Amino acid sequence: MNARELIDTARALVADYKGLLAMDESIPTCNKRFAPLGIPQTVEARRAYRELIVTTPGLGECINGAILCDETIRQAKRDGTPFLKVLTDAEIIPGIKVDLGAKDLAGHPGEKVTEGLDGLRTRLTEYSQMGARFAKWRAVIVVGDGIPSRACIEANAHALARYATLSQEARLVPIVEPEVLMDGEHTLERCGEVTEKVLRIVFNQLCNQGVLLEGMILKPNMVLPGLTCSKQETVDEVADATVQSLFRVVPAAVPGIAFLSGGQSGELASARLNAMNVRFKSRLPWALAFSFARAIQQPALEIWRSQESNVPAAQIALSHRAKCNRAARRGEYNSTMEKNLSMGTTLPQLVSPAA
Ligand code: 13P
């Protein structure tokens, strides 16, 4: 294992107040996002959408790394330039999602375990040779009556640790993503308890397997009330609960924590990340960054709707969310940034897909 290289890459991923862009939706997930907008669920539509993202002007000013999926890492711009080259030319580090999805956990109704360890060493070697420098694996933890079970947390934590060691062996920085889902009626306190328990067991497994903590990034959920919980805490309360849980369980040796957005709106995700960086600025042992998919992409996708003429406006929207999140890392985001976009930018006229 090349420890120095892993440490340098991990630090570079969260350097300079920038963050990560998750654009690694699997084919079914990408199609699910396309369907309600009338976008064709085809290889070409997915390629064109990813071309829109990677060619967004100035993306590298806010984004250090982009996470791709297996389909996208092999794709190219319409003019033939591989996406990997487009990203590295923009000084964005390419990464790859390597899990094969969350499947039902046998014997535990309602719970999931992420698969993909079989043959992983060979796949990691190929991605590393292609030019990827980091790898992501997502575990899914559902909160409900009597769940998550210890069995579910341990199975997922073990898989995360196995993938993380294999990634480091292949010179790829692991982005360790244990996601406690927002779905449900649970309170913020319950989300905090579950998040802490999951992270404790994950770090225990990472240490058992010998993962170099300085050469990884943690990608957790924020500590949030369930989507249908009657009490929805303020931005500051969410920031305090999230950082309190992280202080308790994430070793200071980890260089960066890059949150997933999990279905929060882009504006809320930016506001909550900003509040964490404002309120704990001088006390954080790790960089508090972002690795959002929906909270960066969704407005752009809704503008694009597979119309070539909407590409410039969609790119402005994508770039705007990336800028808001860079500002949030500095603790300099505020809602006037959102107003500035709607008032100060003339969006090209939008076209809707043909019926
Ligand atoms: P969201 O930000 O949309 O939750 O996606 C992050 C991610 O990478 C999920 O694996």
PDB file of all heavy atoms in Angstrom, residues 22-25 33 67 97 136 138 177 179 219 259-263 291-295, ligand 1:
ATOM      1  N   ALA A  22     -21.266  13.757  -6.410  1.00  0.00           N
ATOM      2  CA  ALA A  22     -21.670  12.383  -6.673  1.00  0.00           C
ATOM      3  C   ALA A  22     -22.529  12.383  -7.934  1.00  0.00           C
ATOM      4  O   ALA A  22     -23.595  13.011  -7.978  1.00  0.00           O
ATOM      5  CB  ALA A  22     -22.451  11.824  -5.482  1.00  0.00           C
ATOM      6  N   MET A  23     -22.013  11.737  -8.981  1.00  0.00           N
ATOM      7  CA  MET A  23     -22.784  11.610 -10.239  1.00  0.00           C
ATOM      8  C   MET A  23     -22.719  10.138 -10.659  1.00  0.00           C
ATOM      9  O   MET A  23     -22.528   9.807 -11.818  1.00  0.00           O
ATOM     10  CB  MET A  23     -22.229  12.534 -11.332  1.00  0.00           C
ATOM     11  CG  MET A  23     -20.730  12.495 -11.527  1.00  0.00           C
ATOM     12  SD  MET A  23     -20.131  13.554 -12.876  1.00  0.00           S
ATOM     13  CE  MET A  23     -20.780  12.727 -14.313  1.00  0.00           C
ATOM     14  N   ASP A  24     -22.856   9.280  -9.617  1.00  0.00           N
ATOM     15  CA  ASP A  24     -22.640   7.846  -9.808  1.00  0.00           C
ATOM     16  C   ASP A  24     -23.934   7.055  -9.688  1.00  0.00           C
ATOM     17  O   ASP A  24     -23.902   5.857  -9.361  1.00  0.00           O
ATOM     18  CB  ASP A  24     -21.652   7.339  -8.752  1.00  0.00           C
ATOM     19  CG  ASP A  24     -22.159   7.560  -7.330  1.00  0.00           C
ATOM     20  OD1 ASP A  24     -22.865   8.559  -7.095  1.00  0.00           O
ATOM     21  OD2 ASP A  24     -21.863   6.732  -6.452  1.00  0.00           O
ATOM     22  N   GLU A  25     -25.074   7.697  -9.955  1.00  0.00           N
ATOM     23  CA  GLU A  25     -26.339   6.955  -9.872  1.00  0.00           C
ATOM     24  C   GLU A  25     -26.240   5.718 -10.768  1.00  0.00           C
ATOM     25  O   GLU A  25     -25.797   5.803 -11.914  1.00  0.00           O
ATOM     26  CB  GLU A  25     -27.511   7.828 -10.352  1.00  0.00           C
ATOM     27  CG  GLU A  25     -27.772   9.076  -9.520  1.00  0.00           C
ATOM     28  CD  GLU A  25     -26.885  10.254  -9.906  1.00  0.00           C
ATOM     29  OE1 GLU A  25     -26.046  10.122 -10.818  1.00  0.00           O
ATOM     30  OE2 GLU A  25     -27.033  11.327  -9.268  1.00  0.00           O
ATOM     31  N   ARG A  33     -34.735   8.859 -11.846  1.00  0.00           N
ATOM     32  CA  ARG A  33     -34.726  10.331 -11.781  1.00  0.00           C
ATOM     33  C   ARG A  33     -35.193  10.925 -13.119  1.00  0.00           C
ATOM     34  O   ARG A  33     -35.795  11.992 -13.158  1.00  0.00           O
ATOM     35  CB  ARG A  33     -33.311  10.836 -11.456  1.00  0.00           C
ATOM     36  CG  ARG A  33     -32.723  10.234 -10.212  1.00  0.00           C
ATOM     37  CD  ARG A  33     -32.656  11.180  -9.027  1.00  0.00           C
ATOM     38  NE  ARG A  33     -32.664  10.438  -7.778  1.00  0.00           N
ATOM     39  CZ  ARG A  33     -31.583  10.017  -7.125  1.00  0.00           C
ATOM     40  NH1 ARG A  33     -30.401  10.317  -7.573  1.00  0.00           N
ATOM     41  NH2 ARG A  33     -31.704   9.337  -6.005  1.00  0.00           N
ATOM     42  N   ILE A  67     -17.635  11.434  -8.513  1.00  0.00           N
ATOM     43  CA  ILE A  67     -17.823   9.985  -8.400  1.00  0.00           C
ATOM     44  C   ILE A  67     -18.655   9.509  -9.591  1.00  0.00           C
ATOM     45  O   ILE A  67     -19.766  10.006  -9.820  1.00  0.00           O
ATOM     46  CB  ILE A  67     -18.548   9.597  -7.096  1.00  0.00           C
ATOM     47  CG1 ILE A  67     -17.983  10.369  -5.897  1.00  0.00           C
ATOM     48  CG2 ILE A  67     -18.448   8.081  -6.869  1.00  0.00           C
ATOM     49  CD1 ILE A  67     -18.747  10.146  -4.601  1.00  0.00           C
ATOM     50  N   LYS A  97     -17.912   4.465  -8.103  1.00  0.00           N
ATOM     51  CA  LYS A  97     -18.748   3.701  -7.164  1.00  0.00           C
ATOM     52  C   LYS A  97     -18.507   2.217  -7.438  1.00  0.00           C
ATOM     53  O   LYS A  97     -18.618   1.775  -8.588  1.00  0.00           O
ATOM     54  CB  LYS A  97     -20.216   4.055  -7.418  1.00  0.00           C
ATOM     55  CG  LYS A  97     -21.182   3.369  -6.473  1.00  0.00           C
ATOM     56  CD  LYS A  97     -22.093   2.380  -7.144  1.00  0.00           C
ATOM     57  CE  LYS A  97     -23.006   2.988  -8.162  1.00  0.00           C
ATOM     58  NZ  LYS A  97     -23.991   3.853  -7.589  1.00  0.00           N
ATOM     59  N   LYS A 136     -16.050   4.514  -4.006  1.00  0.00           N
ATOM     60  CA  LYS A 136     -17.138   4.687  -3.026  1.00  0.00           C
ATOM     61  C   LYS A 136     -17.953   3.416  -2.836  1.00  0.00           C
ATOM     62  O   LYS A 136     -18.177   2.665  -3.797  1.00  0.00           O
ATOM     63  CB  LYS A 136     -18.067   5.804  -3.517  1.00  0.00           C
ATOM     64  CG  LYS A 136     -19.147   6.161  -2.511  1.00  0.00           C
ATOM     65  CD  LYS A 136     -20.262   6.985  -3.127  1.00  0.00           C
ATOM     66  CE  LYS A 136     -21.432   6.115  -3.511  1.00  0.00           C
ATOM     67  NZ  LYS A 136     -22.621   6.887  -3.914  1.00  0.00           N
ATOM     68  N   ARG A 138     -21.622   2.373  -0.655  1.00  0.00           N
ATOM     69  CA  ARG A 138     -22.712   2.901   0.181  1.00  0.00           C
ATOM     70  C   ARG A 138     -23.443   1.766   0.885  1.00  0.00           C
ATOM     71  O   ARG A 138     -23.875   0.813   0.241  1.00  0.00           O
ATOM     72  CB  ARG A 138     -23.706   3.665  -0.708  1.00  0.00           C
ATOM     73  CG  ARG A 138     -24.992   4.094  -0.018  1.00  0.00           C
ATOM     74  CD  ARG A 138     -25.798   4.954  -0.992  1.00  0.00           C
ATOM     75  NE  ARG A 138     -27.082   5.358  -0.476  1.00  0.00           N
ATOM     76  CZ  ARG A 138     -28.257   4.845  -0.880  1.00  0.00           C
ATOM     77  NH1 ARG A 138     -28.274   3.884  -1.793  1.00  0.00           N
ATOM     78  NH2 ARG A 138     -29.391   5.290  -0.374  1.00  0.00           N
ATOM     79  N   GLU A 177     -19.333   5.117   3.023  1.00  0.00           N
ATOM     80  CA  GLU A 177     -20.645   5.773   3.116  1.00  0.00           C
ATOM     81  C   GLU A 177     -21.678   4.883   3.823  1.00  0.00           C
ATOM     82  O   GLU A 177     -22.346   4.069   3.181  1.00  0.00           O
ATOM     83  CB  GLU A 177     -21.160   6.117   1.703  1.00  0.00           C
ATOM     84  CG  GLU A 177     -22.514   6.822   1.749  1.00  0.00           C
ATOM     85  CD  GLU A 177     -23.066   7.209   0.370  1.00  0.00           C
ATOM     86  OE1 GLU A 177     -22.502   6.794  -0.647  1.00  0.00           O
ATOM     87  OE2 GLU A 177     -24.080   7.915   0.352  1.00  0.00           O
ATOM     88  N   GLU A 179     -25.136   5.146   5.174  1.00  0.00           N
ATOM     89  CA  GLU A 179     -26.231   6.136   5.151  1.00  0.00           C
ATOM     90  C   GLU A 179     -27.399   5.684   6.020  1.00  0.00           C
ATOM     91  O   GLU A 179     -28.053   4.679   5.717  1.00  0.00           O
ATOM     92  CB  GLU A 179     -26.738   6.348   3.712  1.00  0.00           C
ATOM     93  CG  GLU A 179     -27.969   7.270   3.691  1.00  0.00           C
ATOM     94  CD  GLU A 179     -28.443   7.697   2.303  1.00  0.00           C
ATOM     95  OE1 GLU A 179     -27.869   7.227   1.298  1.00  0.00           O
ATOM     96  OE2 GLU A 179     -29.396   8.498   2.248  1.00  0.00           O
ATOM     97  N   LYS A 219     -18.282   9.414   4.457  1.00  0.00           N
ATOM     98  CA  LYS A 219     -19.426  10.072   3.807  1.00  0.00           C
ATOM     99  C   LYS A 219     -20.704   9.696   4.577  1.00  0.00           C
ATOM    100  O   LYS A 219     -21.379   8.725   4.224  1.00  0.00           O
ATOM    101  CB  LYS A 219     -19.508   9.631   2.342  1.00  0.00           C
ATOM    102  CG  LYS A 219     -20.729  10.173   1.615  1.00  0.00           C
ATOM    103  CD  LYS A 219     -20.604  10.057   0.110  1.00  0.00           C
ATOM    104  CE  LYS A 219     -21.901  10.461  -0.562  1.00  0.00           C
ATOM    105  NZ  LYS A 219     -21.771  10.678  -1.993  1.00  0.00           N
ATOM    106  N   PHE A 259     -20.509  15.006   3.512  1.00  0.00           N
ATOM    107  CA  PHE A 259     -21.881  14.533   3.718  1.00  0.00           C
ATOM    108  C   PHE A 259     -22.558  14.161   2.408  1.00  0.00           C
ATOM    109  O   PHE A 259     -22.343  14.794   1.376  1.00  0.00           O
ATOM    110  CB  PHE A 259     -22.733  15.630   4.366  1.00  0.00           C
ATOM    111  CG  PHE A 259     -22.337  15.928   5.777  1.00  0.00           C
ATOM    112  CD1 PHE A 259     -21.595  17.058   6.069  1.00  0.00           C
ATOM    113  CD2 PHE A 259     -22.701  15.077   6.803  1.00  0.00           C
ATOM    114  CE1 PHE A 259     -21.218  17.338   7.374  1.00  0.00           C
ATOM    115  CE2 PHE A 259     -22.331  15.342   8.113  1.00  0.00           C
ATOM    116  CZ  PHE A 259     -21.590  16.484   8.398  1.00  0.00           C
ATOM    117  N   LEU A 260     -23.456  13.170   2.489  1.00  0.00           N
ATOM    118  CA  LEU A 260     -24.429  12.917   1.416  1.00  0.00           C
ATOM    119  C   LEU A 260     -25.612  13.849   1.675  1.00  0.00           C
ATOM    120  O   LEU A 260     -25.765  14.374   2.789  1.00  0.00           O
ATOM    121  CB  LEU A 260     -24.872  11.455   1.458  1.00  0.00           C
ATOM    122  CG  LEU A 260     -25.522  10.958   2.759  1.00  0.00           C
ATOM    123  CD1 LEU A 260     -27.026  11.056   2.718  1.00  0.00           C
ATOM    124  CD2 LEU A 260     -25.088   9.565   3.081  1.00  0.00           C
ATOM    125  N   SER A 261     -26.453  14.074   0.682  1.00  0.00           N
ATOM    126  CA  SER A 261     -27.595  14.970   0.927  1.00  0.00           C
ATOM    127  C   SER A 261     -28.855  14.188   1.269  1.00  0.00           C
ATOM    128  O   SER A 261     -29.722  14.716   1.988  1.00  0.00           O
ATOM    129  CB  SER A 261     -27.825  15.923  -0.249  1.00  0.00           C
ATOM    130  OG  SER A 261     -28.074  15.242  -1.458  1.00  0.00           O
ATOM    131  N   GLY A 262     -29.010  12.980   0.771  1.00  0.00           N
ATOM    132  CA  GLY A 262     -30.056  12.088   1.260  1.00  0.00           C
ATOM    133  C   GLY A 262     -31.487  12.449   0.915  1.00  0.00           C
ATOM    134  O   GLY A 262     -32.408  11.888   1.494  1.00  0.00           O
ATOM    135  N   GLY A 263     -31.692  13.442   0.035  1.00  0.00           N
ATOM    136  CA  GLY A 263     -33.057  13.828  -0.307  1.00  0.00           C
ATOM    137  C   GLY A 263     -33.445  15.188   0.268  1.00  0.00           C
ATOM    138  O   GLY A 263     -34.564  15.661   0.063  1.00  0.00           O
ATOM    139  N   SER A 291     -20.528  15.796  -0.426  1.00  0.00           N
ATOM    140  CA  SER A 291     -20.419  14.843  -1.532  1.00  0.00           C
ATOM    141  C   SER A 291     -21.851  14.580  -2.007  1.00  0.00           C
ATOM    142  O   SER A 291     -22.349  13.470  -1.930  1.00  0.00           O
ATOM    143  CB  SER A 291     -19.750  13.549  -1.051  1.00  0.00           C
ATOM    144  OG  SER A 291     -19.712  12.597  -2.098  1.00  0.00           O
ATOM    145  N   PHE A 292     -22.498  15.666  -2.436  1.00  0.00           N
ATOM    146  CA  PHE A 292     -23.926  15.598  -2.746  1.00  0.00           C
ATOM    147  C   PHE A 292     -24.166  15.119  -4.178  1.00  0.00           C
ATOM    148  O   PHE A 292     -23.405  15.435  -5.089  1.00  0.00           O
ATOM    149  CB  PHE A 292     -24.568  16.982  -2.621  1.00  0.00           C
ATOM    150  CG  PHE A 292     -24.483  17.617  -1.256  1.00  0.00           C
ATOM    151  CD1 PHE A 292     -24.491  19.009  -1.123  1.00  0.00           C
ATOM    152  CD2 PHE A 292     -24.425  16.851  -0.089  1.00  0.00           C
ATOM    153  CE1 PHE A 292     -24.435  19.616   0.118  1.00  0.00           C
ATOM    154  CE2 PHE A 292     -24.370  17.454   1.164  1.00  0.00           C
ATOM    155  CZ  PHE A 292     -24.364  18.844   1.265  1.00  0.00           C
ATOM    156  N   ALA A 293     -25.274  14.399  -4.348  1.00  0.00           N
ATOM    157  CA  ALA A 293     -25.769  14.105  -5.696  1.00  0.00           C
ATOM    158  C   ALA A 293     -26.987  15.004  -5.942  1.00  0.00           C
ATOM    159  O   ALA A 293     -26.886  16.047  -6.585  1.00  0.00           O
ATOM    160  CB  ALA A 293     -26.118  12.630  -5.838  1.00  0.00           C
ATOM    161  N   ARG A 294     -28.144  14.614  -5.354  1.00  0.00           N
ATOM    162  CA  ARG A 294     -29.374  15.375  -5.633  1.00  0.00           C
ATOM    163  C   ARG A 294     -29.264  16.849  -5.260  1.00  0.00           C
ATOM    164  O   ARG A 294     -29.757  17.711  -5.978  1.00  0.00           O
ATOM    165  CB  ARG A 294     -30.559  14.722  -4.898  1.00  0.00           C
ATOM    166  CG  ARG A 294     -31.068  13.480  -5.577  1.00  0.00           C
ATOM    167  CD  ARG A 294     -31.932  12.657  -4.657  1.00  0.00           C
ATOM    168  NE  ARG A 294     -31.151  11.976  -3.630  1.00  0.00           N
ATOM    169  CZ  ARG A 294     -31.651  11.170  -2.707  1.00  0.00           C
ATOM    170  NH1 ARG A 294     -32.953  10.952  -2.668  1.00  0.00           N
ATOM    171  NH2 ARG A 294     -30.872  10.579  -1.822  1.00  0.00           N
ATOM    172  N   ALA A 295     -28.620  17.157  -4.124  1.00  0.00           N
ATOM    173  CA  ALA A 295     -28.583  18.557  -3.663  1.00  0.00           C
ATOM    174  C   ALA A 295     -27.710  19.435  -4.554  1.00  0.00           C
ATOM    175  O   ALA A 295     -27.717  20.659  -4.414  1.00  0.00           O
ATOM    176  CB  ALA A 295     -28.116  18.625  -2.209  1.00  0.00           C
TER     177      ALA A 295
HETATM  178  P1  13P B   1     -27.456  12.155  -2.381  1.00  0.00           P
HETATM  179  O1  13P B   1     -26.627  13.364  -2.076  1.00  0.00           O
HETATM  180  O2  13P B   1     -28.511  12.374  -3.421  1.00  0.00           O
HETATM  181  O3  13P B   1     -27.979  11.504  -1.117  1.00  0.00           O
HETATM  182  O4  13P B   1     -26.488  11.083  -3.016  1.00  0.00           O
HETATM  183  C1  13P B   1     -25.258  10.872  -2.443  1.00  0.00           C
HETATM  184  C2  13P B   1     -24.751   9.555  -2.836  1.00  0.00           C
HETATM  185  O5  13P B   1     -23.673   9.446  -3.362  1.00  0.00           O
HETATM  186  C3  13P B   1     -25.576   8.363  -2.576  1.00  0.00           C
HETATM  187  O6  13P B   1     -24.755   7.214  -2.640  1.00  0.00           O
END
